[in-house]
Amino acid sequence: MKKTGFVLLSLVLAAMVVIQPKAAKASSSASGLYNAIYKAFNEVDSEITVTKYHPSTTTAANTINAVLQKHPEIFYYKSGQYKYTKTSSGKITSIKLRFTYTHSKSTILKMKKTLNSTANQIIRKHVKSSYSSFQKTKAIHDYIVTHNTYNAQTQSGTYKYNTAYSALIEKKSACNGYAQAMQLLLNKTGVKNYYVYGKANNGKQTELHAWNLVNMNGKYYHVDATWDDYPKDHGRVVSYQYFGVTDGVMKKNHSWSTKGLPKATSTNYQYMWNMLFPVKKGDYIYYSNAPDKKLYRIKENGTGKKRITGDRALWLNEKNGWIYFSDYSRGGYIYKIKTDGSHLTKVNNVWSQYLYIKGSYLYYTNGNNNKTYKIKIG
């Protein structure tokens, strides 16, 4: 007599197994199981037979996690089931894995096509093939931060928007979407990287969190695009406080398992950590310096640093050689200044926040009534 059993595979992101790039060669059974699961996910198959790999439920679950961690383009996996058949003597004669997905197969195939074409378009427009791995990472980071809005809306106990698809197509996501969108675009541009899952403390509470560990110009650095995105900025403000940082800096408010991950100890990009509201113009990045909030400029490689004004400048924007900002040394009113530091000029007489430029207009939020206004600037 044969007996059939079912085991639901418990898949928790926090328990993901990291695939080590320099680990010993995997057994043919392990690699075979990995490839079989990846193929099933890629083709949106609902069931596969894995008897010849003899996986335990733990091995099956860990391998599924490993595939999902390595492939952010598989955004539609929902759950798994381990089905086995055994004889009366206890010998297992058949093992199958069953998968459920978030949408129908036909819908997923269309979504996959949309995600792939959109990702390729983003790369063609924003990432030059001649870029270094640092420049590629920065361009991808900046795109995701400025085109994605943080959204922690839940549905049935899980985040509704939390994948590479939600970040790049729906333009809204929780932290996992930021990290997987980064991973997807980095993978496509040939930049070595890891998806990192752990916890972070935002000063109020400790929560599950995700970010990336990226190889930029030969050394690994942490990049947390979620924490570099301001919550209310109309999607146009970038920070580099968590771009190219070390293990030591991250451990101040992040925690994660370091098993299988390379160390991040280089401080080559330390000059970027204090950049608030950076804008690029010519060879320079203009930014508000975090310690004193004053306006500085510096070249992308970290040379040529110079203070442009002694005023406290926030919400920077640039147009036609002018830097527009909220001058917190002068009531938070909008001022503009030439990129060489000359011609400081008042623009309005209102406490102004969340500045951004669209077309010929400068938009701002009145800090007194929280309403949005615009000024024509040419």
Side-chain angles (χ1 to χ4, degrees):
M1 178 183 292
K2 291 185 177 181
K3 181 178 180 182
T4 300
F6 298 88
V7 178
L8 290 176
L9 299 177
S10 177
L11 303 178
V12 182
L13 286 173
M16 280 187 170
V17 176
V18 174
I19 302 173
Q20 301 181 43
K22 296 184 179 179
K25 185 177 181 180
S27 69
S28 58
S29 178
S31 61
L33 179 63
Y34 181 99
N35 292 335
I37 291 173
Y38 169 70
K39 182 175 183 293
F41 287 168
N42 192 47
E43 298 177 0
V44 201
D45 293 333
S46 59
E47 182 178 279
I48 57 172
T49 299
V50 294
T51 311
K52 64 181 179 180
Y53 306 119
H54 311 292
S56 65
T57 55
T58 299
T59 297
N62 284 344
T63 305
I64 290 172
N65 274 337
V67 171
L68 295 175
Q69 184 187 36
K70 199 75 172 179
H71 296 278
E73 69 275 14
I74 302 173
F75 57 86
Y76 41 84
Y77 174 83
K78 187 175 183 180
S79 64
Q81 187 181 67
Y82 183 102
K83 178 186 176 182
Y84 63 91
T85 302
K86 63 181 180 180
T87 64
S88 57
S89 63
K91 181 180 179 181
I92 293 178
T93 59
S94 173
I95 302 174
K96 294 184 177 181
L97 300 180
R98 290 178 174 177
F99 309 119
T100 58
Y101 302 104
T102 56
H103 299 81
S104 68
K105 182 171 183 175
S106 60
T107 298
I108 289 172
L109 292 176
K110 291 178 182 177
M111 294 171 73
K112 280 165 61 73
K113 185 177 181 180
T114 298
L115 177 61
N116 187 57
S117 63
T118 298
N120 290 338
Q121 288 172 12
I122 292 169
I123 291 168
R124 283 195 297 270
K125 184 175 180 180
H126 299 278
V127 186
K128 295 180 180 179
S129 59
S130 60
Y131 277 1
S132 67
S133 54
F134 161 74
Q135 291 172 315
K136 290 178 179 178
T137 304
K138 179 178 176 294
I140 291 168
H141 167 275
D142 292 357
Y143 177 86
I144 291 172
V145 170
T146 56
H147 289 78
N148 185 47
T149 301
Y150 185 82
N151 187 303
Q153 182 181 350
T154 58
Q155 183 176 343
S156 301
T158 60
Y159 288 118
K160 186 176 180 180
Y161 306 102
N162 208 22
T163 65
Y165 184 91
S166 64
L168 297 178
I169 306 302
E170 298 172 307
K171 308 294 186 183
K172 51 188 173 183
S173 177
C175 63
N176 190 67
Y178 281 80
Q180 291 194 331
M182 283 284 302
Q183 182 187 25
L184 177 64
L185 296 178
L186 288 169
N187 288 347
K188 280 182 169 290
T189 55
V191 178
K192 296 178 181 178
N193 70 95
Y194 291 85
Y195 167 95
V196 184
Y197 196 87
K199 296 181 180 180
N201 186 294
N202 61 13
K204 297 180 180 179
Q205 59 185 345
T206 298
E207 298 178 312
L208 295 175
H209 192 53
W211 63 97
N212 305 90
L213 188 61
V214 187
N215 187 309
M216 293 190 285
N217 296 348
K219 297 180 180 180
Y220 277 92
Y221 304 85
H222 292 273
V223 177
D224 189 338
T226 308
W227 277 31
D228 278 346
D229 192 4
Y230 281 77
K232 184 181 178 182
D233 62 7
H234 305 281
R236 294 169 175 83
V237 175
V238 178
S239 167
Y240 296 118
Q241 288 182 287
Y242 291 91
F243 180 91
V245 301
T246 64
D247 289 338
V249 171
M250 290 296 282
K251 286 179 180 178
K252 292 179 180 179
N253 42 37
H254 292 59
S255 60
W256 67 98
S257 171
T258 60
K259 184 178 180 180
L261 294 175
K263 293 182 179 180
T265 59
S266 172
T267 57
N268 283 349
Y269 303 114
Q270 185 173 0
Y271 64 91
M272 299 184 71
W273 302 348
N274 286 325
M275 290 185 183
L276 300 177
F277 315 110
V279 294
K280 185 83 160 47
K281 178 65 176 177
D283 295 331
Y284 289 94
I285 299 173
Y286 294 80
Y287 65 97
S288 175
N289 188 46
D292 59 15
K293 304 301 188 294
K294 294 179 180 179
L295 177 60
Y296 286 77
R297 77 176 187 188
I298 195 170
K299 289 188 176 181
E300 196 173 63
N301 63 8
T303 64
K305 182 177 179 180
K306 177 183 177 182
R307 195 175 79 178
I308 300 301
T309 176
D311 289 6
R312 297 172 63 233
L314 282 72
W315 308 107
L316 275 60
N317 285 260
E318 185 278 331
K319 190 173 179 67
N320 297 331
W322 289 93
I323 303 294
Y324 293 83
F325 61 96
S326 295
D327 193 328
Y328 273 62
S329 294
R330 303 171 189 266
Y333 303 159
I334 296 176
Y335 276 74
K336 65 178 182 178
I337 192 170
K338 285 287 189 179
T339 55
D340 62 4
S342 65
H343 297 87
L344 180 66
T345 307
K346 182 188 287 189
V347 176
N348 75 353
N349 293 292
V350 177
W351 171 27
S352 305
Q353 305 178 88
Y354 311 118
L355 278 62
Y356 69 96
I357 293 173
K358 186 175 181 180
S360 299
Y361 289 92
L362 172 66
Y363 292 80
Y364 67 93
T365 298
N366 185 318
N368 297 307
N369 61 20
N370 207 35
K371 293 182 179 180
T372 300
Y373 299 87
K374 64 181 181 181
I375 301 171
K376 189 172 179 60
I377 58 174

